[in-house]
Amino acid sequence: MSDSSLGRVSFIVLRHMRTPIIVFICVYAICILGMVLVPGLPDANGQTTYMSFFHAYYFLAYTATTTGFGELPTAFSNAQRVWAICCLYISVITWLYTVGKIISLLRNPYLQSAFAEEKFTRAVRKKTNDYYLVCGFGDTGSLLLRGLTEAGYSAVVLELDDERIKALDLRDYPAKVLGLCADATVPRYLLDAGIESKKCIGVLILSNDEEANLKVAVSARILRPGIKIICRSTSVDNESEILAIGGDTHVVDPFRVFASYLSLIIYNPTIQTLNEWMSGEPGAKLDRNICPLKGGKWILCGHGRMGRVVYKELTEREVDITVVEPLVENIEDIADHAVLGRANLENLKRAGLSDCVGIIAGTNNDTFNLSMVHQANRANSSLFSIVRQNRHTNEILFKRADVNFILQPSLVIARMVLFMLTAPLLKSFFTHLRLLYENDPSRLADITNKLELEVGGESPTIKTYIIGQNITPAVCQKLSERAIVCLGDIYRDPSGRDSFLKMVPLVHRRGKTIKVLPPNDLALMEGDEILFCMRPEHKVLLEANLLNAYTLDYLLTGVEPARGAFFRWLETRNTAN
């Protein structure tokens, strides 16, 4: 046990058990002293005998615990028997009192917290693989942990809410996730979570408390200057302060991300569909017709913090949008484009419900959002409805509601952070797609068709491979032999080298040079990074190509190499002849 934990446990035990221990000692002392002073039976010479201190303690030891060995070492006098009865009752009551205090001590939440902290610290120290430290286990943290563990990453969690930590133990993640109920703003808990360890490769700060997130980010940067930090923030001021701590620091604003996704849905559904498909959204496929939404008037319900960002994003794209908001102070700056009042049917009609093409229910109340979309759909059945789902636990209600698109900010943030950690090159891919959409939409359609043809299905695997000795030893061996290994060679089908596995290389990076959709004849070099999009069942075949030198040799030459010394000798002899 660490010194700090030992000190806290000792303090709690002594403070809780001080009175029982004093009472216990006093009762035993009085009883023993009484047994020594009370006269016993006379001896053979007629002299009154007295019990020694040792015998008195021996008698009390088995009497107080109700063991009852009888009158030892000799028969008692009547006076001793009277005192023995008193000792029996007093000591039994004292024992019951002490045991009760011990049980109370074991249920002491502070003592349990100290033991839990010690257990957590020891488990973190024993971790042998790299892990992320996640501060905050709300909806976003829960969804992110699901993605991280399914991608093969490990994590430890600090969460202030004890109920959420209990919920962590019930999650069926592929790997066990260690969690501690603790305030991450206290630096001691960051140390307990192993932030100074080399195994800790990043800190993910995802709580809803802006000030707490800032404090954790600053503490993490001071305790571990070079570590990657990804922090959630919805405040512009906090964001600038977080970025000011420097290093590998990233800020994710859920409101801006939400607004960006809304914009994609309305203006660029093709990229949004690709995004959902690569994210593994249930039911997301590429083999469906993707049509942009028709232009026209939109209604935005709610102009709070998120509503402001959404309104700004959409108006910058020249969307004709009317806001319905119950608080006058929230619409002072957009009074000409707003209707004051709750988003009931009357106010929605005042906002132009009968003529609009879409409605965005974006308040922070799930009940209001579902209610207003339900009312709007009854009045205008052709309406395209986008609804914000705030709590993941309401997923069943939203799926059964008559809405066209559900946006769950916590899920959007979790996916974004997951891609930042597991596939950072994906950002370059989507940036390329946006440029194509604006300049060459037909090329964007070609890419979508290629992904559907080469990969297809649902839930593809997105993974980055770095050409190096640890991950691709077979490729490195060939490169060391001065052989040329092209990109297309490493994902040929080992059962027929003329065909390829079900995958598409999305991005190749060499140093600062990034190439989107690299050609198959690209010669690989050690240190290259390649982002693949593939069918999950073909991942193991690709990794076999990268690991097994014999398999890669066959893929490069088309000739099955001889295995074993005898067959190589025989092959050499046949070649010589």
Side-chain angles (χ1 to χ4, degrees), residues 335-351:
D336 295 338
H337 303 279
V339 173
L340 180 62
R342 294 186 60 171
N344 51 33
L345 189 58
E346 180 184 353
N347 288 327
L348 290 176
K349 287 181 177 177
R350 288 173 56 201

Side-chain angles (χ1 to χ4, degrees), residues 300-366:
L300 171 63
C301 302
H303 199 244
R305 289 189 300 169
M306 182 176 286
R308 290 178 184 278
V309 179
V310 172
Y311 181 82
K312 183 173 181 294
E313 179 82 17
L314 296 183
T315 51
E316 285 178 353
R317 290 181 174 271
E318 299 180 352
V319 175
D320 181 8
I321 187 164
T322 302
V323 173
V324 180
E325 164 63 40
L327 300 178
V328 65
E329 60 268 25
N330 283 350
I331 54 174
E332 289 176 343
D333 51 339
I334 57 167
D336 295 338
H337 303 279
V339 173
L340 180 62
R342 294 186 60 171
N344 51 33
L345 189 58
E346 180 184 353
N347 288 327
L348 290 176
K349 287 181 177 177
R350 288 173 56 201
L353 178 63
S354 58
D355 301 327
C356 72
V357 297
I359 183 171
I360 303 169
T363 74
N364 58 2
N365 187 306
D366 284 347

Side-chain angles (χ1 to χ4, degrees), residues 57-245:
Y57 174 76
Y58 173 64
F59 168 73
L60 196 64
Y62 64 75
T63 301
T65 56
T66 69
T67 305
F69 286 156
E71 297 176 352
L72 296 173
T74 60
F76 288 179
S77 65
N78 288 335
Q80 285 178 317
R81 287 169 181 161
V82 171
W83 183 246
I85 292 172
C86 296
C87 292
L88 177 62
Y89 287 125
I90 295 173
S91 59
V92 168
I93 293 173
T94 304
W95 266 107
L96 291 176
Y97 170 67
T98 305
V99 170
K101 294 298 286 186
I102 291 173
I103 294 174
S104 173
L105 172 65
L106 293 177
R107 299 180 60 183
N108 186 300
Y110 299 104
L111 185 67
Q112 292 180 345
S113 172
F115 282 138
E117 183 182 345
E118 180 62 23
K119 181 181 177 183
F120 172 79
T121 305
R122 287 188 179 188
V124 170
R125 286 175 185 164
K126 290 180 181 176
K127 288 186 76 67
T128 56
N129 51 349
D130 294 341
Y131 64 89
Y132 287 100
L133 168 56
V134 180
C135 301
F137 186 62
D139 280 351
T140 305
S142 176
L143 293 166
L144 178 59
L145 280 179
R146 171 74 61 190
L148 281 176
T149 52
E150 287 181 351
Y153 290 89
S154 183
V156 300
V157 175
L158 293 179
E159 165 60 46
L160 192 57
D161 187 348
D162 186 46
E163 294 301 319
R164 295 296 303 167
I165 288 297
K166 291 177 182 175
L168 176 63
D169 291 334
L170 301 177
R171 295 287 197 273
D172 58 340
Y173 295 138
K176 180 174 175 56
V177 178
L178 300 173
L180 177 67
C181 178
D183 185 356
T185 61
V186 179
R188 173 166 65 85
Y189 293 124
L190 294 176
L191 295 175
D192 288 345
I195 192 173
E196 293 181 313
S197 168
K198 291 182 179 178
K199 298 293 182 186
C200 182
I201 55 176
V203 181
L204 315 178
I205 308 167
L206 304 172
S207 83
N208 295 324
D209 189 330
E210 294 285 337
E211 293 301 322
N213 287 354
L214 174 60
K215 186 173 181 182
V216 175
V218 173
S219 301
R221 178 57 68 224
I222 293 173
L223 294 173
R224 183 85 180 277
I227 199 167
K228 176 192 281 290
I229 296 174
I230 298 178
C231 185
R232 179 187 188 277
S233 177
T234 58
S235 164
V236 176
D237 294 336
N238 267 22
E239 180 177 343
S240 60
E241 290 187 39
I242 292 169
L243 292 175
I245 65 177

Side-chain angles (χ1 to χ4, degrees), residues 467 479 485 508 510 523-529:
I467 304 299
L479 293 177
V485 181
H508 171 270
R510 178 176 297 161
L524 297 178
M525 295 177 64
E526 195 161 345
D528 286 1
E529 298 176 46

Side-chain angles (χ1 to χ4, degrees), residues 523-541:
L524 297 178
M525 295 177 64
E526 195 161 345
D528 286 1
E529 298 176 46
I530 310 152
L531 176 66
F532 277 100
C533 173
M534 67 186 97
R535 294 302 314 148
E537 60 271 22
H538 284 214
K539 175 171 170 283
V540 65
L541 297 175

Side-chain angles (χ1 to χ4, degrees), residues 194-455:
I195 192 173
E196 293 181 313
S197 168
K198 291 182 179 178
K199 298 293 182 186
C200 182
I201 55 176
V203 181
L204 315 178
I205 308 167
L206 304 172
S207 83
N208 295 324
D209 189 330
E210 294 285 337
E211 293 301 322
N213 287 354
L214 174 60
K215 186 173 181 182
V216 175
V218 173
S219 301
R221 178 57 68 224
I222 293 173
L223 294 173
R224 183 85 180 277
I227 199 167
K228 176 192 281 290
I229 296 174
I230 298 178
C231 185
R232 179 187 188 277
S233 177
T234 58
S235 164
V236 176
D237 294 336
N238 267 22
E239 180 177 343
S240 60
E241 290 187 39
I242 292 169
L243 292 175
I245 65 177
D248 191 3
T249 305
H250 309 268
V251 175
V252 177
D253 184 343
F255 295 168
R256 281 210 301 267
V257 174
F258 184 87
S260 174
Y261 269 60
L262 275 178
S263 178
L264 279 179
I265 293 168
I266 296 172
Y267 273 97
N268 203 333
T270 303
I271 295 179
Q272 172 62 17
T273 302
L274 276 171
N275 194 346
E276 288 180 0
W277 178 69
M278 290 184 176
S279 301
E281 177 79 18
K285 291 185 177 180
L286 299 179
D287 60 348
R288 62 185 176 90
N289 291 326
I290 304 171
C291 300
L293 297 176
K294 57 185 179 181
K297 187 174 182 178
W298 283 73
I299 295 177
L300 171 63
C301 302
H303 199 244
R305 289 189 300 169
M306 182 176 286
R308 290 178 184 278
V309 179
V310 172
Y311 181 82
K312 183 173 181 294
E313 179 82 17
L314 296 183
T315 51
E316 285 178 353
R317 290 181 174 271
E318 299 180 352
V319 175
D320 181 8
I321 187 164
T322 302
V323 173
V324 180
E325 164 63 40
L327 300 178
V328 65
E329 60 268 25
N330 283 350
I331 54 174
E332 289 176 343
D333 51 339
I334 57 167
D336 295 338
H337 303 279
V339 173
L340 180 62
R342 294 186 60 171
N344 51 33
L345 189 58
E346 180 184 353
N347 288 327
L348 290 176
K349 287 181 177 177
R350 288 173 56 201
L353 178 63
S354 58
D355 301 327
C356 72
V357 297
I359 183 171
I360 303 169
T363 74
N364 58 2
N365 187 306
D366 284 347
T367 305
F368 287 164
N369 289 343
L370 287 173
S371 173
M372 63 185 74
V373 168
H374 180 68
Q375 294 180 61
N377 281 335
R378 290 175 59 188
N380 184 351
S381 58
S382 62
L383 206 61
F384 190 90
S385 54
I386 300 175
V387 63
R388 169 186 170 185
Q389 178 188 338
N390 296 283
R391 295 185 63 82
H392 187 64
T393 51
N394 291 331
E395 188 174 13
I396 296 175
L397 290 177
F398 278 83
K399 283 188 175 179
R400 294 192 179 186
D402 183 20
V403 296
N404 297 101
F405 205 91
I406 302 169
L407 264 183
Q408 190 179 157
S410 55
L411 183 58
V412 171
I413 300 298
R415 285 175 178 167
M416 184 175 181
V417 175
L418 182 63
F419 279 149
M420 290 171 71
L421 298 175
T422 62
L425 293 179
L426 206 56
K427 182 178 180 181
S428 301
F429 178 70
F430 278 104
T431 302
H432 178 73
L433 294 187
R434 289 191 178 93
L435 290 175
L436 287 181
Y437 179 77
E438 294 172 359
N439 301 305
D440 189 1
S442 61
R443 176 68 181 135
L444 176 60
D446 292 341
I447 293 174
T448 305
N449 293 334
K450 180 179 181 180
L451 287 171
E452 165 58 20
L453 180 65
E454 302 293 342
V455 183

